[in-house]
């Protein structure tokens, strides 16, 4: 929502109408006629019907109508639109629907009744916008891949050979039609998943806030799992094959991590970052992940680094020295092995099912000199605890 005369006002609680505002059509009103009613970014023929089905109605309002209908300045309305993740629009663009107006009014009401201040309202909107954007792209690509016809046995790509990384036109349109058809079925599942995760997030937050004799602040065990030689793999495989590898890795890692009560913080192609509250679950995740990938015919070898300690938890992500230490330890690990810091090794020393072998001290960039340990399952003898033999290897 940009361009034209705007007034700063008082943000989202600014009730000043714009002097050039057009009247706001009521629900169900006909779109404003005229050649300018078609926005510059209108869908191509055949897709506008899908948009109308998803949005519930055709686009019928310009930006000034929406801002006036919500009783706020154009600048404030633009901030809301940007927080959702959408670009600027011009005065003449017929972009908005009654649903956009209702959403803006809902956010304005939260600010005006004192539930949120403006910054918090925009931050909440931004969180939903980013999450919805990633979810929509993820689902659209998945559906297109399901519908895309692929050769039964794709050949490896030679260096320099081009590769198509997007679905064909027919598959893309078919995916759009199918997702539009399923939208009403998927929408309740989205709300269900959000409420489930919100409940779990509140429980973790309350637990972290409770005083602890053992730890201060937010304590987590952090694990990094990294596919070995992924860069070489990227050069060698077709994009379709790389998609298969990444999806297989993410699906397998997510399943193993969730099974032991961990949380996937993020995935970046060949790497997954996860956290747990307890040390034994984190160790079980690492070892199960290595074992599962060993048995997989598609995935290359994996290596895992783990560290425990205080983390900074912010907006679903984690930061801090503990996270950096786990990342650095991943580089120390050899293929199909797990390397942990001294805190993890100490915590597991009295837990059955695990054993640790001390490795030579290493100097890690930005962290100084530390003693890494190789984690493995207890042998047939059932021996547990730490072996302080500096001659241990990670083969």
């Amino acid at each position: 929502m940009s361009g034209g005369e705007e007034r700063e006002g008082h943000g989202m609680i600014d009730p000043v109408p714009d002097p050039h505002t057009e009247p706001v059509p009521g629900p169900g009103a006909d779109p404003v006629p005229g050649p300018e009613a078609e926005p510059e970014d209108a869908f191509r023929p055949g897709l506008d019907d899908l948009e109308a089905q998803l949005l519930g109605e055709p686009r019928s309002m310009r930006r000034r109508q929406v801002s006036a209908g919500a009783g706020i300045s154009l600048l404030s309305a633009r901030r809301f639109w940007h927080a959702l993740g959408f670009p600027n629009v011009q005065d003449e663009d017929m972009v908005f629907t009654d649903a956009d107006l209702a959403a803006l009014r809902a956010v304005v009401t939260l600010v005006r009744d004192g539930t949120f201040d403006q910054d918090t309202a925009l931050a909440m909107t931004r969180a939903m916008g980013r999450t919805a954007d990633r979810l929509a792209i993820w689902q659209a690509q998945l559906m297109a891949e399901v519908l895309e016809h692929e050769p039964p046995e794709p050949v490896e790509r030679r260096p320099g050979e081009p590769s198509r990384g997007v679905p064909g036109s027919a598959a893309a349109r078919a995916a759009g039609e199918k997702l539009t058809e399923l939208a009403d079925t998927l929408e309740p599942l989205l709300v269900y998943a959000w409420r489930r995760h919100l409940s779990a997030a509140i429980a973790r937050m309350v637990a972290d806030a409770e005083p602890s004799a053992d730890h201060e602040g937010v304590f987590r065990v952090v694990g990094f799992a990294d596919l070995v030689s992924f860069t070489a793999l990227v050069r060698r495989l077709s994009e379709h094959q790389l998609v298969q590898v990444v999806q297989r890795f993410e699906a397998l890692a997510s399943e193993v991590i969730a099974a032991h009560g961990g949380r996937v913080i993020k995935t970046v192609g060949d790497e997954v970052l996860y956290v747990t509250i307890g040390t034994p679950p984190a160790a079980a995740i690492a070892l199960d992940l290595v074992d599962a990938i060993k048995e997989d015919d598609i995935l290359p070898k994996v290596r895992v680094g783990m560290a425990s300690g205080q983390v900074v938890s912010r907006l679903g992500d984690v930061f801090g020295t503990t996270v950096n230490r786990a990342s650095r330890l991943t580089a120390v690990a050899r293929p199909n092995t797990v390397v942990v810091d001294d805190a993890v090794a100490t915590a597991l020393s009295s837990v059955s099912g695990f054993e640790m072998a001390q490795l030579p001290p290493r100097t890690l960039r930005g962290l100084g000199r530390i003693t890494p340990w190789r984690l493995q399952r207890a042998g047939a003898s059932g021996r547990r605890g730490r072996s302080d033999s500096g001659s241990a290897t990670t083969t």
Side-chain angles (χ1 to χ4, degrees), residues 319-338:
F319 311 92
T321 301
T322 302
V323 179
N324 294 339
R325 190 161 61 249
S327 177
R328 300 283 190 269
L329 286 171
T330 305
V332 173
R334 293 186 181 178
N336 288 339
T337 67
V338 180

Side-chain angles (χ1 to χ4, degrees), residues 285-369:
I285 288 170
L287 294 173
D288 284 356
L289 197 53
V290 169
D291 289 345
I293 290 178
K294 277 182 182 178
E295 299 173 0
D296 193 279
D297 295 332
I298 294 178
L299 296 176
K301 297 176 181 180
V302 68
R303 53 189 180 182
V304 183
M306 285 172 44
S308 66
Q310 283 186 292
V311 299
V312 178
S313 180
R314 176 68 175 162
L315 304 180
D317 206 344
V318 291
F319 311 92
T321 301
T322 302
V323 179
N324 294 339
R325 190 161 61 249
S327 177
R328 300 283 190 269
L329 286 171
T330 305
V332 173
R334 293 186 181 178
N336 288 339
T337 67
V338 180
V339 172
V340 305
D341 68 356
D342 197 66
V344 171
T346 299
L348 293 174
S349 62
S350 60
V351 179
S352 62
F354 306 107
E355 62 183 43
M356 283 69 62
Q358 183 177 331
L359 304 176
R362 300 287 292 267
T363 299
L364 302 183
R365 181 167 54 89
L367 299 171
R369 196 163 182 81

Side-chain angles (χ1 to χ4, degrees), residues 30-108:
D30 293 333
V32 177
E36 75 279 11
E38 187 70 8
E40 294 179 1
D41 61 343
F43 271 4
R44 288 167 292 179
L47 296 182
D48 52 351
D49 288 342
L50 297 183
E51 183 193 57
Q53 292 178 55
L54 288 171
L55 299 184
E57 57 190 318
R59 307 182 189 198
S60 61
M61 282 184 278
R62 299 182 176 91
R63 67 192 188 103
R64 293 184 182 277
Q65 295 172 283
V66 177
S67 62
I72 61 174
S73 68
L74 283 172
L75 180 59
S76 297
R78 184 179 68 180
R79 286 173 176 165
F80 169 76
W81 192 240
H82 286 177
L84 282 173
F86 296 116
N88 292 337
V89 298
Q90 302 302 318
D91 278 343
E92 65 274 14
D93 293 341
M94 193 73 68
V95 172
F96 304 103
T97 69
D98 288 333
D100 295 305
L101 176 57
L104 182 55
R105 281 173 171 165
V107 175
V108 170

Side-chain angles (χ1 to χ4, degrees), residues 2 5 25 45 117 133 142 218 235 316 349:
S2 179
E5 298 293 328
D117 60 26
D133 172 65
L142 281 176
V218 178
R235 292 194 297 265
S349 62

Side-chain angles (χ1 to χ4, degrees), residues 158-230:
R158 294 186 297 274
E161 181 182 355
S163 178
R164 182 180 178 86
V166 296
S169 176
R173 289 175 178 268
E177 292 172 359
K178 189 65 176 177
L179 283 171
T180 301
E181 176 188 330
L182 293 173
D184 289 342
T185 300
L186 295 175
E187 185 174 338
L189 297 178
L190 172 61
V191 176
Y192 157 77
W194 173 72
R195 286 184 174 273
R196 269 288 183 177
H197 281 293
L198 181 60
S199 174
I202 291 172
R204 285 193 299 266
M205 182 174 62
V206 171
D208 287 336
E210 293 293 330
S212 172
D214 298 327
H215 309 291
E216 293 183 1
V218 178
F219 179 89
R220 293 289 186 270
V221 183
V222 180
F224 271 95
D226 176 56
L227 293 179
V228 177
S229 301
F230 188 75

